[in-house]
């Protein structure tokens, strides 16, 4: 696989039998020997370790005050960054002028600067976008020499606190820089599986030792991209490029929970982000379609692209599936997609066309499986 | 037991041709989560799509290796698709075909040739 980047853990992955695939310009492990199903269930039962070093790590280093940098970042997204407290992280999304989503990301306040984690496939564009709009108030620094490792599941706290005791005191969405035998670790208590757990940024040179130390704990197993996808889908979390993109607004994507009061109609800093006119209008008057969860009857998964219909014989689709898979923990198929808003209420029966047949599915509140975050 | 290039196995049992997928195919597909079987009594032609199986990764079609009539299907796979990963060449047979002439099996590979085929 030429022309692809490798993370600091490449040799470790191949040494333990990972199947590597190209993903967002990187050679990444899609699964290890146990396979997607067992990896998924292990993460829910004990702890799963994920190499997410392909994701972008970005520092916003203020040239003046942190407040100015926070306000400048607010010009690119509909989150309240100003009120984000030191040591805390928040989910957000960059919007475009049409109100669509350019990328989703994590934003952390680390006292004298902000730390962002963005999607691998979007990171070059995100950094260019921020440099174009934020360079007067801050340096946009891409972190190129650190791996990012997620440790997720009920045993994650015990496994990580054996090396870094202070992580046990962190709450969901807390961030901290902690000294360790593997150098300074940038830790957040967060993740993308619906499980309690952590994401840890560690210097490339110490990433393999750190990972081996975690994997030496019997409760910790490495998990590939395959199970990462079924875990995040069970948790009702969006995959950028599938479930959200430049054509979906945050209101359509049902991500209004990720916008704070200060940026909404009547808020202290209402609007002021790209696409605000469209997004604020949809907030007040509704959007024509909405992202929903679906539980197909039977066992057949309704995968990405499956057309959705209001009835078993109607001609015009009312929407489509954007992610669909079998959920190992819920022991059945699950999908996420968009439908016309009048069909978006939980309990509504709609039909997905699978191999020429209309199969019934029930609109379902997400997550499909309740999250276990330590709040 | 005979083998096809499409990674199916065939064996004769009580004048019926029993069909399933090989260990290699099951491993390549990954964890199977859904199996859709044909109706018993259906007449099928060679290369017809007769079984749909879905793994955690994707959907795949299993083709009829020869002409015949579906005499029996393995209903147990519908409720327990994971059997296909556990015992693809035994308990997880997929369907049995009634054929007019069992000599049609002669053209398919023996185990040694199949092993060479998958390298």
């Amino acid at each position: 696989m030429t022309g692809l980047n490798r993370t600091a853990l490449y040799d470790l992955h191949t040494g333990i039998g990972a199947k590597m695939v190209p993903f967002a310009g990187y050679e990444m492990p899609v699964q290890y020997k146990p396979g997607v199903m067992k990896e998924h269930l292990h993460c829910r039962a004990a702890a799963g370790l994920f190499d997410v070093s392909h994701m972008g790590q970005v520092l916003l280093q203020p040239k003046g005050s942190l407040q100015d940098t926070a306000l400048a970042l607010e010009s690119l997204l509909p989150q309240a960054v100003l009120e984000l407290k030191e040591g805390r992280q928040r989910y957000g999304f960059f919007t475009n002028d049409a109100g669509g989503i350019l990328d989703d990301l994590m934003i952390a306040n680390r006292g004298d600067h902000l730390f962002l984690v963005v999607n691998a496939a979007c990171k070059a564009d995100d950094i260019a976008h921020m440099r174009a709009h934020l360079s007067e108030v801050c340096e946009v620094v891409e972190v190129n020499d650190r791996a990012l490792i997620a440790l997720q599941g009920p045993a994650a706290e015990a496994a990580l606190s054996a090396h870094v005791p202070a992580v046990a005191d962190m709450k969901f969405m807390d961030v901290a820089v902690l000294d360790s035998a593997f150098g300074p670790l940038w830790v957040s208590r967060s993740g993308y599986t619906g499980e309690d757990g952590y994401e840890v940024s560690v210097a490339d040179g110490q990433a393999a030792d750190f990972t081996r130390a975690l994997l030496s704990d019997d409760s910790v197993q490495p998990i590939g991209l395959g199970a990462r996808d079924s875990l995040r889908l069970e948790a009702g979390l969006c995959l950028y490029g599938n479930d959200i993109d430049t054509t979906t607004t945050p209101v359509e994507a049902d991500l209004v929970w990720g916008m704070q009061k200060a940026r909404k109609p009547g808020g202290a800093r209402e609007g002021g982000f790209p696409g605000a006119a469209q997004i604020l209008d949809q907030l007040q008057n509704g959007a024509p379609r909405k992202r929903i969860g679906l539980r197909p009857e039977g066992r057949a998964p309704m995968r990405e692209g499956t057309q959705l219909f209001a009835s078993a014989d109607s001609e015009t689709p009312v929407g489509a599936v954007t992610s669909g898979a079998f959920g190992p923990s819920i022991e059945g198929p699950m999908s996420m997609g968009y439908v016309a808003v009048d069909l978006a209420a939980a309990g509504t029966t709609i039909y997905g066309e699978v191999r020429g047949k209309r199969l019934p599915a029930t609109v379902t509140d997400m997550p499909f499986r309740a999250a276990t975050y330590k709040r | 037991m005979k083998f096809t290039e499409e990674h199916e196995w065939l064996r004769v049992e009580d004048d019926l041709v029993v069909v399933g997928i090989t260990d290699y195919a099951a491993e390549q597909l990954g964890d199977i989560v859904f199996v859709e079987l044909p109706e018993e009594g259906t007449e099928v032609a060679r290369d017809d799509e007769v079984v749909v199986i879905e793994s955690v990764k994707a959907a795949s079609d299993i083709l009829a290796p020869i002409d015949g009539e579906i005499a029996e299907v393995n209903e147990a796979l519908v409720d327990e698709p994971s059997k296909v990963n556990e015992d693809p060449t035994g308990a997880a047979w997929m369907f049995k075909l009634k054929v007019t002439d069992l000599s049609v099996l002669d053209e398919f590979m023996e185990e040694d040739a199949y092993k060479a085929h998958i390298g």
Side-chain angles (χ1 to χ4, degrees):
Chain A
M1 288 184 265
T2 52
L4 292 171
N5 295 306
R6 291 177 174 179
T7 75
L9 298 183
Y10 178 85
D11 290 341
L12 189 153
H13 295 313
T14 55
I16 55 177
K19 184 178 172 196
M20 306 299 284
V21 298
F23 183 83
Y26 284 78
E27 268 183 275
M28 297 302 290
V30 66
Q31 66 169 79
Y32 299 83
K33 285 175 186 161
V36 175
M37 188 90 83
K38 288 197 180 81
E39 290 171 27
H40 177 116
L41 294 171
H42 183 88
C43 180
R44 295 264 187 251
L49 184 145
F50 306 73
D51 181 7
V52 289
S53 306
H54 57 312
M55 297 184 78
Q57 303 180 56
V58 184
L59 300 170
L60 300 187
Q61 300 278 14
K63 292 176 177 172
S65 69
L66 182 70
Q67 189 173 355
D68 287 346
T69 295
L71 283 170
L73 183 59
E74 286 193 0
S75 72
L76 301 181
L77 42 72
Q79 279 68 47
V81 185
L82 194 59
E83 288 87 352
L84 183 62
K85 293 193 176 74
E86 180 174 352
R88 294 288 292 164
Q89 173 176 276
R90 147 171 301 172
Y91 176 72
F93 29 83
F94 292 119
T95 51
N96 66 17
D97 289 337
I101 299 173
L102 292 171
D103 194 11
D104 62 343
L105 72 156
M106 289 292 185
I107 308 157
N109 178 343
R110 296 209 309 201
D112 59 359
H113 66 277
L114 300 176
F115 174 58
L116 313 182
V117 178
V118 302
N119 280 303
C122 303
K123 65 182 172 185
D125 287 347
D126 290 344
I127 289 165
H129 185 55
M130 287 190 282
R131 285 191 177 140
H133 293 94
L134 308 179
S135 289
E136 272 182 34
V137 297
C138 63
E139 294 283 350
V140 178
V141 182
E142 180 174 8
V143 179
N144 283 319
D145 54 0
R146 296 182 74 86
L148 190 63
I149 291 152
L151 189 66
Q152 302 277 294
E157 181 186 289
L160 185 59
S161 63
H163 303 282
V164 201
V167 301
D169 299 324
M170 296 173 73
K171 298 263 187 281
F172 182 59
M173 294 296 234
D174 279 353
V175 297
V177 174
L178 300 170
D179 283 326
S180 77
F182 311 97
L185 303 178
W186 304 352
V187 183
S188 72
R189 192 155 197 166
S190 66
Y192 221 60
T193 60
E195 295 294 325
D196 177 33
Y198 304 87
E199 289 192 353
V200 184
S201 170
V202 53
D204 275 344
Q206 285 164 302
D209 285 346
F210 174 62
T211 302
R212 282 198 192 91
L214 291 172
L215 289 174
S216 70
D217 186 319
D218 286 343
S219 67
V220 180
Q221 294 288 325
I223 313 290
L225 290 172
R228 183 169 172 82
D229 194 53
S230 53
L231 288 159
R232 70 92 194 165
L233 187 52
E234 278 186 344
L237 299 168
C238 292
L239 175 64
Y240 189 82
N242 277 52
D243 310 305
I244 48 176
D245 60 28
T246 54
T247 70
T248 60
T249 71
V251 182
E252 292 166 355
D254 204 15
L255 294 176
V256 175
W257 59 266
M259 294 173 57
Q260 289 72 38
K261 203 166 64 179
R263 311 300 308 279
K264 290 184 190 171
R269 299 186 307 287
E270 168 184 334
F273 48 85
Q278 165 83 345
I279 292 167
L280 297 185
D281 176 71
Q282 286 192 346
L283 272 175
Q284 292 182 300
N285 302 313
R289 59 179 188 152
K290 191 180 167 202
R291 182 174 63 94
I292 51 145
L294 272 183
R295 289 298 311 270
E297 286 179 22
R299 291 184 65 100
M302 292 181 184
R303 296 188 188 269
E304 178 190 349
T306 300
Q307 295 290 302
L308 299 171
F309 296 85
S311 71
D313 52 12
S314 54
E315 278 185 18
T316 312
V318 293
V321 169
T322 51
S323 286
F326 185 85
S329 300
I330 62 172
E331 299 182 331
M334 59 185 167
S335 297
M336 201 186 271
Y338 286 81
V339 293
V341 72
D342 58 326
L343 293 166
T348 307
T349 299
I350 59 175
Y351 294 80
E353 194 160 285
V354 179
R355 292 180 283 272
K357 279 184 239 170
R358 298 278 175 93
L359 304 176
T362 306
V363 177
T364 309
D365 287 331
M366 290 186 284
F368 298 107
R369 184 182 182 280
T372 55
Y373 305 134
K374 188 179 167 188
R375 294 194 191 268
Chain B
M1 195 178 273
K2 296 279 196 172
F3 297 86
T4 75
E5 289 187 357
E6 283 75 38
H7 310 289
E8 291 162 88
W9 55 260
L10 305 86
R11 64 182 153 80
V12 177
E13 195 178 290
D14 302 330
D15 288 338
L16 297 175
V17 179
V18 188
V19 181
I21 66 169
T22 65
D23 289 307
Y24 174 81
E27 195 185 320
Q28 291 295 311
L29 289 166
D31 305 301
I32 308 292
V33 297
F34 171 76
V35 177
E36 186 177 83
L37 298 164
E39 297 273 327
E40 288 176 0
T42 312
E43 291 285 344
V44 298
R46 181 177 185 141
D47 291 343
D48 281 359
E49 295 161 2
V50 287
V51 176
V52 176
I53 57 180
E54 295 226 21
S55 74
V56 286
K57 299 171 194 164
S60 310
D61 295 311
I62 306 297
L63 308 179
I66 47 177
D67 297 351
E69 179 191 329
I70 303 286
E72 199 179 330
V73 296
N74 189 354
E75 291 286 355
L77 301 183
V78 174
D79 292 328
E80 275 190 86
S82 60
K83 277 180 184 248
V84 179
N85 296 109
E86 289 154 15
D87 191 9
T89 57
W93 61 274
M94 296 202 164
F95 54 92
K96 297 181 183 179
L97 282 171
K98 190 190 289 178
V99 298
T100 46
D101 182 2
L102 288 171
S103 72
V104 294
L105 268 62
D106 294 348
E107 67 167 286
F108 295 108
M109 288 178 274
E110 299 290 345
E111 186 164 9
D112 288 352
Y114 177 67
K115 279 188 173 156
H117 173 65
I118 58 178

